[in-house]
Amino acid sequence: MKKNLLLFAFFVSFLNCNLYSQIKEMIPYQPSKTEILERYKKALLLDKAVKNTVFKTSIRAQWQSDGKSFWYSNVLKDSIIEYILVDAGKGTKNILFDEPKLRNALSSVTLIKTPQKSLVIDSLNYDAKTSSIALKYDKNYYQVKLSDYSIQKINSLSKDKTKYPSLNRQWQRWNSFQTDSISPNKKWLAFIKEYNVFIKPIAGGNEIQFTKDGTKEKPYGSLAWSPDSKYAVGYHITPFTDLPVHYVLTSVANTTRGELHSQPYKQPGDPFTTYEMYLFHIENQKTTKVNAPIIDFFDAPELHWRKDNPNYFTFEKVERGHQRFRIFEVNTQTAETRSVIDEKTNTFIYESRLFTHYGKESNEIVMSSEKDGWRHLYLIDAITGKEKKQITKGEWVVRSVDSIDEKKREIWFSASGMNSNEDPYYIHHYRIGFDGKKLINLTPSKGNHLVSFSKNKQYYVDSYSEPNVATIIELHRTSDGKKIMDLEKSDATAYLATGMSLPEPFHAKGRDGVTDIWGIICRPADFDPNKKYPVIESIYAGPQDSFVPKNFMDRYTTEMQSLAQLGFIVVQIDGMGTANRSKAFHDVCWKNLKDAGFEDRILWIKALAKKYPYVDDSRVGLYGTSAGGQNALGGLLFHPEFYKAGVAACGCHDNRVDKQWWNEQWMGYPVGEHYKEQSNVTNASKLTGDLLLVIGEADENVPPESTYRVADALIKAGKTFEFLPLPGVGHSDGGPYGRQIKRDFFVKHLLGVDPPSRNTNELNQ
């Protein structure tokens, strides 16, 4: 009996200990005023302590004319700069010059003693044959032999005039395209006079007037020559002048009056200038209207002439509403057109990510499409419009095209999501044939990669890292991707010695229960795992990209890490509706910007709290700027059961008020009732949480009235909120002052303690 009683007492004691432990773990972190003051002071000290503790996170290779050597500089502790010379052919690297000797050489010729701090050189040529350097110093140029450091003044640095393989840039295709006013054969000059088209012989002679109906209200313009100089292409233009938006600067020096500023600003639904295409025939002096749709979205397009038959050219047209992309071919003999490519979608075509490359030696087009559900590259017959080959394929995304080699029929591109064992957003670089074969991964190591090719593309520098893995920088050979040598590696030892931790990547299932949602976590340096800390989400759900930092010591994590030191778990997440995943993942945003991936974000934070009991998912706030400002308020309005406090800076709170090009891309055209229904202004009366609105009065990106309309609606609904207008500030989170007020806001509303009073200098008492 006694034994049983002892066992029972032990069992009760065991239960009580575990119950106490569980209760202890569940204690919400709610610091006292004294403790929070200490946290502010420690956070400030940490911000200072971590500066200049991590080095060698990137290099900028300065390739030399020999095609195999380059130099770069490293900024080290105490602002010491070292200059490194690399010979890619030999696989060696050395200090570029003896700095004391170079100092003495420069002092001897300038008769001025050089500063004791490291020399700062940004322009330098290295000559391996003569073992000398030419450099710019103090606005003058010098040649220095490295064998004896003899020096002489020179007039300038020589320029490398070698023609290198060009890189393909995904240019802004919708800027108005024009050729030189002089014809390619240098015989004709095309110009606009009194709103009409004139062409005259350069050698002398009378000008030829091709049009007579051009007026100020409807002029001709945007002329472009055919490569054989037989035609000029131009447009009868109906201009539309964008209406202005305004803002008032309230604190202008030397005046007692506010200063009104205005700028043209196209909003969703506003008309565009239109272009009707015409051909101007030099031989018979004939003007012909092309039987083509009026271009009523963006400007005059670039023309692509067939090399084998200059009587034909193609141009691209995106329909307003972003649901149809076409490539038209024009027959200059008949002025008739036909559709070569006609791609349609029920949601949207992301026009800024469209890539097209027109073969110079063949009638082929390499173009991107998401028609199979992922962004991939296709080889198209430019005459028939038929698909010759899907070049890339799989459940991954082509991110960009670096270059195309038509002779070798190779494409150099970057992609993400191909490696199943890592974050699907990590970028890798590849080479592939036009036939979709011989795929080579130039950057196989795990991590997010940034590649920089030599001018002749024989070598490349590969920098890769993860948010919690230091940067490694390597030199590779392009032909087979083989690593030649290690260049640099970052070291976070000094950073971690301050007590700070690196952000932790974390993923959890999204709303469909299948798709992984990725984000990062930042913790206080001294967090206690037995207490539960409020969560603050840094949010930006703009559909134009993905936003969670993927690199080591990314500058965007600095504010998150600093904010966490006040006693928060700070996170950032890419939910559905953002880019760089599947088409279905992205399509969530279509006519649905208020969604902002919140279902995925909430599930992610709940999964985080399940894994880490010190994460308090009952106290969650969020903050953001621009589209993130819209999202921050949207979280409070549409998910009040989860988000309790938010700071919304310069938000595009009503998509009818914001810029046309961004909002119509995602919300569609024409402007329908869904714009109004999803507006933060329309839904302002739903506010139940704590809100801080921040607006810069000089915002030229998102009109300030977007935020003021929210404030007006909140006032009319009798809601309580905080409002921070910033005189003279543009599109911003408010800068240092705005970030200070944001921190105070979350301390008050999520930690339940008054922030320090700066009016009484409480932090220094």
Side-chain angles (χ1 to χ4, degrees), residues 11-51:
F11 180 69
V12 170
S13 175
F14 175 81
L15 286 177
N16 286 339
C17 287
N18 276 274
L19 182 61
Y20 173 76
S21 177
Q22 291 175 24
I23 291 173
K24 184 180 179 182
E25 288 178 0
M26 296 299 292
I27 295 175
Y29 176 65
Q30 290 181 314
S32 65
K33 182 63 178 286
T34 301
E35 186 178 348
I36 204 64
L37 290 176
E38 286 303 308
R39 278 202 168 274
Y40 271 91
K41 293 175 183 178
K42 288 181 179 178
L44 184 61
L45 291 174
L46 269 177
D47 287 346
K48 294 178 180 178
V50 298
K51 287 183 178 180

Side-chain angles (χ1 to χ4, degrees), residues 437-505:
K437 298 178 181 179
K438 297 182 180 179
L439 175 69
I440 294 179
N441 186 352
L442 299 172
T443 55
S445 299
K446 183 183 179 184
N448 193 47
H449 291 256
L450 176 65
V451 161
S452 171
F453 289 98
S454 63
K455 294 177 182 179
N456 58 18
K457 296 204 71 177
Q458 292 181 10
Y459 306 98
Y460 61 93
V461 174
D462 177 22
S463 302
Y464 62 96
S465 66
E466 300 179 66
N468 56 348
V469 178
T471 306
I472 294 174
I473 306 175
E474 302 170 341
L475 177 64
H476 288 251
R477 187 170 61 206
T478 304
S479 59
D480 54 8
K482 182 180 178 180
K483 185 173 80 169
I484 297 173
M485 63 186 300
D486 294 317
L487 293 174
E488 302 292 350
K489 183 176 181 179
S490 299
D491 184 358
T493 302
Y495 176 85
L496 297 173
T498 65
M500 292 287 280
S501 60
L502 296 171
E504 177 191 341

Side-chain angles (χ1 to χ4, degrees), residues 74-315:
N74 286 322
V75 180
L76 307 176
K77 188 178 180 181
D78 299 325
S79 298
I80 294 173
I81 304 175
E82 64 176 4
Y83 295 86
I84 307 295
L85 176 66
V86 176
D87 187 321
K90 296 179 180 178
T92 60
K93 73 169 187 172
N94 297 285
I95 296 297
L96 178 53
F97 51 77
D98 185 312
E99 185 163 338
K101 290 182 179 180
L102 181 58
R103 283 177 181 279
N104 291 336
L106 289 169
S107 296
S108 69
V109 72
T110 62
L111 302 180
I112 300 173
K113 188 175 182 180
T114 58
Q116 287 304 304
K117 61 183 181 180
S118 292
L119 292 171
V120 179
I121 302 171
D122 58 2
S123 298
L124 183 149
N125 291 340
Y126 170 75
D127 189 336
K129 292 181 180 179
T130 61
S131 186
S132 65
I133 57 174
L135 61 105
K136 181 181 180 182
Y137 180 75
D138 194 27
K139 300 180 181 180
N140 292 304
Y141 300 94
Y142 302 95
Q143 185 90 20
V144 182
K145 286 187 177 181
L146 297 180
S147 57
D148 58 5
Y149 284 84
S150 58
I151 187 171
Q152 63 178 350
K153 193 173 183 181
I154 56 177
N155 294 326
S156 64
L157 299 184
S158 61
K159 293 183 179 180
D160 187 358
K161 297 180 180 180
T162 308
K163 291 186 177 181
Y164 295 103
S166 61
L167 296 178
N168 278 285
R169 301 301 183 194
Q170 290 176 263
W171 56 86
Q172 173 50 269
R173 64 180 70 249
W174 311 122
N175 288 338
S176 185
F177 174 77
Q178 303 177 54
T179 55
D180 194 307
S181 57
I182 299 175
S183 63
N185 65 8
K186 310 302 180 185
K187 292 183 178 181
W188 301 95
L189 176 68
F191 58 97
I192 303 297
K193 185 173 73 172
E194 296 178 349
Y195 314 112
N196 284 289
V197 177
F198 289 78
I199 298 177
K200 70 177 182 181
I202 292 177
N206 296 327
E207 61 187 27
I208 306 164
Q209 184 171 358
F210 278 84
T211 66
K212 296 181 179 180
D213 57 339
T215 64
K216 181 179 180 180
E217 292 73 26
K218 194 169 181 177
Y220 283 86
S222 295
L223 301 177
W225 280 101
S226 65
D228 61 5
S229 303
K230 291 182 178 181
Y231 308 92
V233 180
Y235 302 87
H236 204 183
I237 303 170
T238 303
F240 175 78
T241 302
D242 292 329
L243 298 174
V245 294
H246 315 280
Y247 62 86
V248 176
L249 296 181
T250 58
S251 299
V252 181
N254 304 318
T255 179
T256 57
R257 302 176 187 274
E259 190 174 274
L260 176 66
H261 287 245
S262 304
Q263 63 168 335
Y265 194 93
K266 193 183 293 294
Q267 293 180 325
D270 285 352
F272 274 78
T273 293
T274 62
Y275 299 81
E276 296 177 86
M277 185 181 288
Y278 281 79
L279 291 168
F280 307 109
H281 304 249
I282 302 303
E283 187 175 358
N284 59 16
Q285 301 179 17
K286 182 181 177 182
T287 298
T288 308
K289 183 179 180 181
V290 178
N291 185 20
I294 293 176
I295 297 167
D296 58 358
F297 192 42
F298 299 119
D299 294 331
E302 184 170 2
L303 310 180
H304 303 275
W305 297 82
R306 273 171 54 179
K307 185 176 181 179
D308 63 335
N309 191 339
N311 291 325
Y312 294 90
F313 68 84
T314 58
F315 68 92

Side-chain angles (χ1 to χ4, degrees), residues 401-656:
V401 176
D402 295 317
S403 63
I404 292 179
D405 188 325
E406 291 185 38
K407 291 183 179 179
K408 293 183 179 180
R409 297 183 69 77
E410 292 178 339
I411 302 171
W412 308 62
F413 69 98
S414 68
S416 58
M418 199 183 300
N419 297 358
S420 59
N421 63 336
E422 65 178 27
D423 185 326
Y425 293 94
Y426 285 171
I427 294 174
H428 291 263
H429 293 257
Y430 303 88
R431 186 173 71 240
I432 195 170
F434 277 25
D435 58 3
K437 298 178 181 179
K438 297 182 180 179
L439 175 69
I440 294 179
N441 186 352
L442 299 172
T443 55
S445 299
K446 183 183 179 184
N448 193 47
H449 291 256
L450 176 65
V451 161
S452 171
F453 289 98
S454 63
K455 294 177 182 179
N456 58 18
K457 296 204 71 177
Q458 292 181 10
Y459 306 98
Y460 61 93
V461 174
D462 177 22
S463 302
Y464 62 96
S465 66
E466 300 179 66
N468 56 348
V469 178
T471 306
I472 294 174
I473 306 175
E474 302 170 341
L475 177 64
H476 288 251
R477 187 170 61 206
T478 304
S479 59
D480 54 8
K482 182 180 178 180
K483 185 173 80 169
I484 297 173
M485 63 186 300
D486 294 317
L487 293 174
E488 302 292 350
K489 183 176 181 179
S490 299
D491 184 358
T493 302
Y495 176 85
L496 297 173
T498 65
M500 292 287 280
S501 60
L502 296 171
E504 177 191 341
F506 180 77
H507 64 275
K509 298 301 179 185
R511 69 187 76 179
D512 60 3
V514 177
T515 306
D516 283 333
I517 305 298
W518 288 76
I520 57 170
I521 316 154
C522 298
R523 301 174 177 83
D526 60 349
F527 87 99
D528 182 347
N530 294 314
K531 294 180 180 178
K532 296 179 74 69
Y533 294 87
V535 180
I536 299 176
E537 179 183 353
S538 171
I539 188 169
Y540 190 99
Q544 74 269 22
D545 212 335
S546 53
F547 305 97
V548 173
K550 302 298 177 184
N551 297 323
F552 178 67
M553 300 305 293
D554 192 291
R555 63 188 178 91
Y556 291 107
T557 63
T558 302
E559 167 68 1
M560 295 173 61
Q561 294 277 51
S562 182
L563 178 58
Q565 305 319 309
L566 296 181
F568 302 106
I569 303 295
V570 184
V571 303
Q572 189 171 357
I573 309 156
D574 281 319
M576 290 186 184
T578 51
N580 302 325
R581 299 288 289 276
S582 69
K583 175 65 172 163
F585 189 102
H586 202 184
D587 277 348
V588 170
C589 74
W590 177 239
K591 295 186 177 181
N592 188 31
L593 285 183
K594 85 167 189 178
D595 179 279
F598 279 122
E599 290 185 54
D600 312 301
R601 298 169 188 278
I602 292 170
L603 287 170
W604 188 96
I605 293 173
K606 287 182 176 179
L608 183 67
K610 186 175 181 180
K611 180 177 181 179
Y612 298 120
Y614 52 79
V615 174
D616 189 349
D617 61 2
S618 70
R619 292 184 292 168
V620 182
L622 72 174
Y623 69 91
T625 301
S626 195
Q630 177 184 12
N631 306 143
L633 177 52
L636 298 180
L637 298 179
F638 305 121
H639 299 275
E641 77 291 344
F642 190 76
Y643 294 103
K644 308 304 182 186
V647 177
C650 60
C652 35
H653 296 292
D654 190 313
N655 298 108
R656 297 167 295 180

